[in-house]
Structure formats: structure tokens, C-alpha cells
């Protein structure tokens, strides 16, 4: 009997020792796993905290930002590299067409086109920055839609357009440039909304204002053909007085009377 009791105690002690060692190992593994998970959660929380802390866009060095006067008309915020817009080699003479007042438009409804020669994307940015930062009226426009096209040194054609919140207008301007076969040019049409919806007619007036400016600046002829390209246009611009890179055209105001 004593032998049996001693043997039972020995077996119980051995089992306790076994489960104690095994249990310590699992607990440690669970602890390490929980620690890793907690660290992961902490890193994610820290990352979220950083995102929240930096929710507002930071002002980067070497960048000038144009913020539209209102978000009501869906105009985007635009960033321009200082290295580009302060580089005099990117300087472009910009032709400014006369104001156009669309028929049946509200009081203040006005459209004006600007045209300039461009041969690279840096020129495009320079022209846009010049208008937005140096022409207070353009900066306050409801929309500044534009399209451009140029031929790179390797012969590649580059073209693009932007609605600036006036949905569909950029593609209309791009179609105009394609139809008239002009190259190395950017055309910007600024619109000041007069409070009365013009409907689809607004696209006709936007294209008309752009075409008139291209013709007046020498990019196309009255018959619709190319007017000699950027060289002829530059010669036309040089004959007029320039202010802040913007040359005011000599055309007459068109559209309804004010």
C-alpha cells in the first residue's frame, strides 16, 4: 500500500511539473504574440495620428499655391514650382483678347481668352501662373478653362486640357485646337458667371472667344487655316505693349451691350 501511495505521488508530481513547463511556454508565446499585435496596433494608431495631425496640406518649399477665391464652382487648387515660374527662360508673351458678353447672360457675365506660344510643359505652367498670380481679375474668374498642344524636340505631340470646374469646356477647346491644326500654343478662356444659366450655348461662346483670340494673335487665319504658328503670333504680340507678360489685344468688345 505504501509503495502504491509513493508511486501515485511520484506520478502526480511528474504530471504537475510537465504541465507547469508546458504552460509557461504557451503563456510566453501568447505574451509575445500579444506584444507584437499591440505594437502593430500602436504603429497603426501612430500612423493614423500622424495623418490626422497633418490633415491640412503642408506648404512645401519651392512651390507657390493658387487657391481659388471660393470652392463653390469646383475649381482646383493649383501648385506651381517656383523654379519654373521664376525662370526667365520660360517667359511667354500672353495675348489678351477683348471681353465678350454672351447674349442673354446675366449682369457681369463675361468671357475673355488669353493665348500664348508654348513648346514644353514648363511654358504651360509659366503662362498659367502669370495669369493667376498677376491678373487679379483672372484670379477671381468663375472658371479658367484651358487647352494646349506642343511638339517636343523628338517630334512627339503633347496635348491636354482642363475644365477648371466648367465640365466639358476643356475638351471643347482641345477640339478647337485640333480642328484648326495649330501647334505650340495654349489658350485659356476665363468666364465670370453672371447669375443666369446659359445652358449648352456657353460652350459655343467659349469656343468662339478662343477662336477669335487665336485669330487675332496670328495663330489661325480668318479662313480657318494655320496663321503661321508661334513665330507669326510672337511677332504680332511684340507689336503691342506688354504688362506683366500680358499683351492686351486691339480687338473690339463683342456680344450684348452693357
Amino acid at each position: 500500500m505504501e509503495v502504491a501511495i509513493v508511486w501515485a505521488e511520484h506520478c502526480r508530481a511528474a504530471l504537475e511539473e510537465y504541465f507547469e513547463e508546458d504552460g509557461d511556454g504557451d503563456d510566453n508565446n501568447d505574451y509575445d504574440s500579444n506584444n507584437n499585435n499591440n505594437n502593430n496596433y500602436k504603429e497603426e494608431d501612430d500612423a493614423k495620428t500622424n495623418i490626422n495631425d497633418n490633415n491640412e496640406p503642408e506648404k512645401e518649399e519651392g512651390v507657390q499655391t493658387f487657391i481659388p477665391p471660393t470652392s463653390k464652382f469646383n475649381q482646383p487648387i493649383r501648385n506651381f514650382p517656383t523654379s519654373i515660374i521664376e525662370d526667365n527662360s520660360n517667359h511667354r508673351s500672353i495675348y489678351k483678347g477683348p471681353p465678350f458678353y454672351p447674349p442673354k447672360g446675366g449682369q457681369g457675365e463675361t468671357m475673355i481668352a488669353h493665348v500664348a506660344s508654348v513648346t514644353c510643359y514648363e511654358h504651360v505652367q509659366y503662362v498659367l501662373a502669370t495669369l493667376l498670380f498677376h491678373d487679379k481679375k483672372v484670379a477671381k474668374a468663375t472658371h479658367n478653362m484651358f487647352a494646349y498642344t506642343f511638339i517636343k524636340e523628338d517630334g512627339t505631340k503633347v496635348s491636354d486640357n482642363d475644365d477648371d470646374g466648367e465640365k466639358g469646356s476643356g475638351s471643347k477647346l482641345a477640339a478647337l485646337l485640333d480642328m484648326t491644326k495649330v501647334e505650340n500654343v495654349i489658350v485659356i478662356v476665363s468666364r465670370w458667371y453672371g447669375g443666369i444659366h446659359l445652358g449648352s450655348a456657353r460652350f459655343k461662346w467659349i469656343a468662339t472667344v478662343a477662336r477669335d483670340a487665336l485669330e487675332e494673335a496670328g495663330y489661325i487665319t480668318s479662313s480657318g487655316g494655320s496663321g503661321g504658328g508661334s513665330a507669326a503670333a510672337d511677332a504680332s504680340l511684340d507689336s503691342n505693349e506688354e504688362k506683366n507678360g500680358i499683351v492686351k489685344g486691339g480687338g473690339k468688345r463683342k456680344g450684348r451691350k452693357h
Side-chain angles (χ1 to χ4, degrees), residues 10-80:
H10 173 74
C11 291
R12 185 180 64 80
L15 288 172
E16 287 180 351
E17 182 178 354
Y18 173 79
F19 284 114
E20 184 177 350
E21 291 177 355
D22 189 56
D24 287 343
D26 287 344
D27 287 343
N28 287 335
N29 288 337
D30 288 342
Y31 176 76
D32 291 340
S33 176
N34 288 335
N35 267 353
N36 289 335
N37 289 337
N38 288 337
N39 287 337
N40 290 337
Y41 294 146
K42 186 177 185 302
E43 290 174 0
E44 292 177 4
D45 289 340
D46 288 343
K48 292 178 181 178
T49 300
N50 290 337
I51 291 173
N52 293 333
D53 290 343
N54 299 315
N55 193 27
E56 296 182 359
E58 295 183 359
K59 293 183 179 180
E60 299 180 27
E61 291 186 7
V63 173
Q64 289 191 33
T65 301
F66 172 76
I67 301 177
T70 176
S71 59
K72 181 179 179 180
F73 300 107
N74 300 317
Q75 291 175 282
I77 294 174
R78 300 188 184 279
N79 295 309
F80 300 92

Side-chain angles (χ1 to χ4, degrees), residues 4 8 29 43 46 61 91-93 97 128 130 135 141 146 148 179-180 189 194 226 242-243 245 253 257:
N29 288 337
E43 290 174 0
D46 288 343
E61 291 186 7
H91 174 79
R92 304 281 93 187
S93 291
L128 292 173
T130 298
D135 190 318
F146 63 88
Y148 63 86
M179 180 180 65
T180 55
V189 176
S226 174
E242 180 177 317
K243 182 179 180 181
R253 296 184 180 187
K257 295 182 179 179

